[in-house]
Each structure stands twice: as C-alpha cells, then as structure tokens.
Amino acid sequence: MRTFPMFLQMAGRRVVIIGGGEQAAQKTRLILKTEAMVDIWAPALDPELSGLVVEGRITHKTGPITPDTFSDTALVFIASGCPGIDMALHALAKAGGATVNVVDQPRLCDAITPSIVDRDPVVVAIGTEGTAPVLARQIKTKLEEALEPRLGDLAALAGRMRGAAAARLGPRARRDLWRWVFNDTPRQLFSGGAEREAAKLIKTAIETGDFGATKGGSVSLVGAGPGAKDLITLRGVQRLQEADVIYYDRLLDPEILELARRDAERIYVGKSPGCHSWPQEKITQTLVAAAKRGQRVVRLKCGDPGVFARSTEETDALKASDIPFEIVPGVTAACAAAASVGQSLTERGNIDTLVLTTGHRQSGFTVPDAIKDIKPGTCVALYMAVGAAPQIVAHLQTCHPDVPFDVHVVAKAQRKGQIVLNCPLGDLAHTLLVHDIAGESMLFVRWPFGVQTSNDAGTRALATL
C-alpha cells in the first residue's frame, strides 16, 4: 500500500477549504458530515456555500493567505479551480505544516478522499490510491445495496449497550452476543422497523446471558483451499472471524490469515513433507486442550480437510473428549490443479472414473493400487507422488506398454509461481528433475475410453488432462 487507511477524529477540529466554487462545495458537503469546524477561504462563494455561511455551518474568510492560515488544522482541501494557483497554495499549506488534499492533483495529496458508504457510525471507505475512482464508485454502489439503511442505528444502539455487556458478560460471551446481534434476530427485527423489539431483546440477552450461544469450546477444521486467499469458502472466512485461536500449517498464501480476527492467537504447527515441526499427536492434543479451555478453535488446513489431511486422527480425539466440532470443506488440490489448466477431471464418454490417491504412505513412496489397477475411462489424480514417480513410470510401462500415457504435472496450483507441465510417461522423471519439481505438486494420469494403443492400426491418441 502506498497509502494507509485511517479514520481521523474530527470533532472540534479545524478544516480549511480554499476555493468558492463547485469543487470546494463538494469537499464542504463531505466534511460537514463530521463534527469539524470548517473555514472557507475565497474572494467569493457560490450560492450553496453562501447559504451554509448564513446558516452558521461554515465560516467565510477572505484576505491574504499565508502559512499561518493552515496552522492547527486537521485537514486542508485546495480547490481554487486553477492548477497553478493550487500548486502555490499547496506550497504555503505545507510550509504551515498541514495535511493537504489538492483536488484532481494526486501527486500533491498527502491524503486522498475515498468513496464513502455512510451508515453513521458505521462508515466504509473505499480507496484506489487515486488510480481508479470509477471502480471505487462501483464498489460503493454494491456496498450501498448490501448494507441496510438502518444498520448504523443498530450499531449505535449496540454502542450504548457495550458498557452493560462488559459489566455482565465475559470476553467470549460478549463476542458471541454481538455476533448474535448482527447476524441473527436483532438485526432482522431492526432492519424490518421493529427497533423497540430489537432493543428489548438485546437488553434481555445481556441481563440473562441467554441468546443461544454455544457454551464451551469447539473446533472447526477449515479447508483453506489450495492457498489462494480468494479460494477459501465464505463459511471458512466466518470461522476465522470467530476464532480465538488458529492452528495452521503450510499456509500457501499468508494473506489468508488476514481474514481472521485481528486479536485471534495464531500458532504455526509446521507440517510439510518430510519436515514436521509439530508431530500429529501434539497437534491433536493441543486442539483438545484449547477447546477444553473454552476457546473457539480453528484448525486451518490446506486443501480440503477430508482429503489426505489426517483429519480423522483429530476428529477421533475430539469425539473421545466430547468436544463439538465441524468440518468446513475446502477446494482440494486436484480440483484446483485441473482448473488451473482449464480442464475437467471427468469427461462424458471418455472419463467416467475419478480416483484421488497418494504416492506417499506411512511406509514411504509407493505405487498406489489405483495405478496398479488402472483401466480405460479413468483419471488418477496423485497427491504427494513426486517421490514415487520412478516406480509409477516403471509399473505403467511394464503393465501397459502399449498405452501412450501422457502425464500432467501441476505445481503450486492457483498460486504465484504455478507451474504446469505435460510430458510423455517415459519423460516424467527427467521433467521433474529439470524443472526442480518437489512437493506441493499434483500428478495426473488419464486413460480415456477409445485411446488407441501402439498395437492399433490407427494413429495414436494421447491421453491428456
């Protein structure tokens, strides 16, 4: 980011606006949404600004402009309408130590005015660092549609009740309370015009502590997908927002953690092929212990928790300790890798069987049974199989010497540095070596119906992903 988004305290602070025309009026309208004191410096004002002076909402000043004009200000907007004059005024304002916005001259701006969605006290600011104001307005339009008009009033009501909630409820219960207020019945009532009923419901919940919140700890096994921030599910994001503690391993895009609550504890458990910073048994025991302390736990796993992620060991331990848990699915690596090359894992008339398997077991690298028993109409997606590539090649060449298998390799699917390779089966080991392909890779072997073998009279049709 070249600019840092921040909300400034404006109550009682001074804002200077230079100019008396429409550009100055636009900035004045914006600042009058705050509690700032506005001084307009211009020889003359347009009718709108003159009316605001008469109403006492702004102060009109004339006379020489010096660096002292800009002293003790929260913000300065320069909108004289003349680029040359604006540049000279910018120099004076900077000499006075001001934070300056020069209209339509981004290179002279210390602060850039965002597009704003106003549900006071809920305010959403959208900025593009001056590069795409049209895009910012499009985003603003979508947010205006998504946030109901009375949402700010509900937020203000919650603000008035925060003290009572803090006096009666613990930190976890307070988080659950406000999650319920903004996700459930109170918000529905409020947006429907039943403000009194909503307020009464919230007050009763604070007094009784009863609002349907889950008591005690729980664990969510969340699939982070292949690693790209935008491929985690909405439910996964929600669980990250609710978590007290997050245990994560091999997060392929660190930005995924930015989706979590800022004050959630984050613990790296470092599971990667051949290098386990945390043994699985320790991870499992830690999940159970955290949940028993009453924490809401997220176990963030790459891909899908149900596909080669050792989730069963964790869920068995949670069941044995009577700890509630859920599994939040994620995009598994096979789907992500196939999508990255624009292909389907199945194909009507050609591939009617999809097998997900692994080339690495507890005993080491091996040829999976799915490869040993491969038949026409099958696509085999191999996880953690790079190390087993020589054995897989040898087996297929021995058992099916007439089938012209092609292999697709996708490394770091859907992430920066993604590599997509395609080679004949016999070249697989050399291809992996030349391109330095190690872990975090998917291998695909397909045998479509109707593929002609070297014994067929026709031309050879390669099996492709």
Side-chain angles (χ1 to χ4, degrees):
M1 293 187 298
R2 290 192 301 110
T3 59
F4 183 74
M6 178 178 289
F7 291 94
L8 301 177
Q9 294 286 356
M10 300 300 291
R13 301 184 71 186
R14 182 168 169 257
V15 173
V16 168
I17 300 175
I18 307 293
E22 174 57 25
Q23 288 183 332
Q26 291 173 3
K27 299 304 182 185
T28 302
R29 291 180 211 128
L30 183 64
I31 295 301
L32 285 179
K33 292 178 177 289
T34 75
E35 299 176 15
M37 300 181 297
V38 181
D39 290 346
I40 299 284
W41 288 72
L45 303 179
D46 74 4
E48 179 184 357
L49 293 174
S50 296
L52 292 172
V53 172
V54 172
E55 294 172 11
R57 299 184 65 190
I58 64 175
T59 301
H60 180 206
K61 295 181 178 291
T62 59
I65 296 176
T66 69
D68 289 341
T69 302
F70 306 101
S71 63
D72 193 27
T73 55
L75 281 172
V76 170
F77 292 97
I78 297 176
S80 73
C82 172
I85 293 175
D86 284 351
M87 187 173 293
L89 290 168
H90 171 267
L92 291 174
K94 294 308 297 178
T99 298
V100 186
N101 175 282
V102 181
V103 175
D104 292 337
Q105 296 197 54
R107 65 188 181 84
L108 297 180
C109 292
D110 302 314
I112 297 174
T113 306
S115 292
I116 291 175
V117 178
D118 186 5
R119 299 289 188 273
D120 185 37
V122 177
V123 179
V124 182
I126 305 124
T128 62
E129 297 186 341
T131 61
V134 171
L135 175 60
R137 288 194 292 272
Q138 290 176 351
I139 297 171
K140 168 183 165 67
T141 299
K142 290 185 179 295
L143 289 174
E144 291 280 10
E145 296 170 354
L147 302 179
E148 61 268 29
R150 298 297 307 280
L151 182 60
D153 295 327
L154 177 60
L157 173 64
R160 294 192 294 273
M161 295 184 177
R162 289 183 69 86
R168 299 187 67 91
L169 303 173
R172 160 73 182 273
R174 291 200 301 273
R175 286 196 298 273
D176 288 345
L177 168 72
W178 300 125
R179 174 169 160 266
W180 169 73
V181 166
F182 292 111
N183 282 345
D184 213 313
T185 306
R187 183 168 180 176
Q188 295 168 8
L189 288 172
F190 211 95
S191 63
E195 294 92 345
R196 290 185 180 180
E197 291 86 342
K200 183 177 180 180
L201 199 63
I202 297 170
K203 291 177 182 177
T204 300
I206 291 173
E207 292 172 0
T208 63
D210 183 10
F211 41 88
T214 302
K215 302 297 190 293
S218 62
V219 176
S220 295
L221 281 66
V222 176
K229 181 180 179 180
D230 57 353
L231 284 178
I232 189 172
T233 66
L234 292 175
R235 186 180 297 179
V237 173
Q238 185 178 35
R239 295 300 178 263
L240 287 175
Q241 288 285 325
E242 297 166 352
D244 298 308
V245 58
I246 300 165
Y247 295 93
Y248 67 97
D249 59 6
R250 281 211 298 154
L251 263 187
L252 306 177
D253 184 351
E255 290 185 359
I256 290 179
L257 287 176
E258 294 181 7
L259 301 171
R261 255 183 48 229
R262 188 176 303 175
D263 57 343
E265 185 179 4
R266 305 166 191 196
I267 299 174
Y268 174 65
V269 294
K271 287 173 63 65
S272 58
C275 181
H276 301 312
S277 297
W278 280 45
Q280 181 62 46
E281 183 180 359
K282 180 180 178 182
I283 295 172
T284 302
Q285 292 173 347
T286 303
L287 295 178
V288 171
K292 284 184 175 180
R293 292 194 297 269
Q295 292 182 298
R296 186 175 283 119
V297 180
V298 163
R299 174 73 172 96
L300 192 59
K301 294 174 172 285
C302 295
D304 183 280
V307 181
F308 304 120
R310 301 186 69 173
S311 296
T312 301
E313 297 167 58
E314 295 167 358
T315 57
D316 284 349
L318 295 169
K319 290 175 185 177
S321 298
D322 199 26
I323 293 170
F325 70 89
E326 67 172 335
I327 298 175
V328 179
V331 178
T332 190
C335 296
S340 69
V341 295
Q343 296 291 334
S344 174
L345 289 168
T346 60
E347 184 181 341
R348 186 178 182 184
N350 286 320
I351 298 291
D352 63 5
T353 301
L354 171 65
V355 178
L356 307 183
T357 188
T358 174
H360 189 275
R361 297 178 177 175
Q362 283 184 313
S363 57
F365 291 108
T366 184
V367 178
D369 290 341
I371 288 291
K372 293 178 180 178
D373 301 328
I374 191 169
K375 294 178 174 63
T378 301
C379 172
V380 181
L382 293 132
Y383 295 67
M384 299 172 284
V386 171
Q391 298 98 301
I392 292 171
V393 170
H395 175 84
L396 290 174
Q397 288 180 331
T398 300
C399 297
H400 305 284
D402 298 327
V403 178
F405 291 108
D406 258 21
V407 181
H408 267 79
V409 180
V410 182
K412 299 183 179 179
Q414 301 284 340
R415 309 194 311 275
K416 293 178 182 177
Q418 173 181 284
I419 300 172
V420 178
L421 304 170
N422 176 221
C423 66
L425 178 66
D427 294 341
L428 178 59
H430 177 70
T431 299
L432 294 174
L433 179 64
V434 168
H435 293 276
D436 194 26
I437 304 297
E440 302 180 22
S441 303
M442 290 294 306
L443 306 183
F444 294 94
V445 177
R446 284 168 50 111
W447 188 353
F449 290 116
V451 166
Q452 294 173 309
T453 69
S454 58
N455 290 328
D456 294 329
T459 60
R460 299 176 63 179
L462 296 181
T464 59
L465 176 65

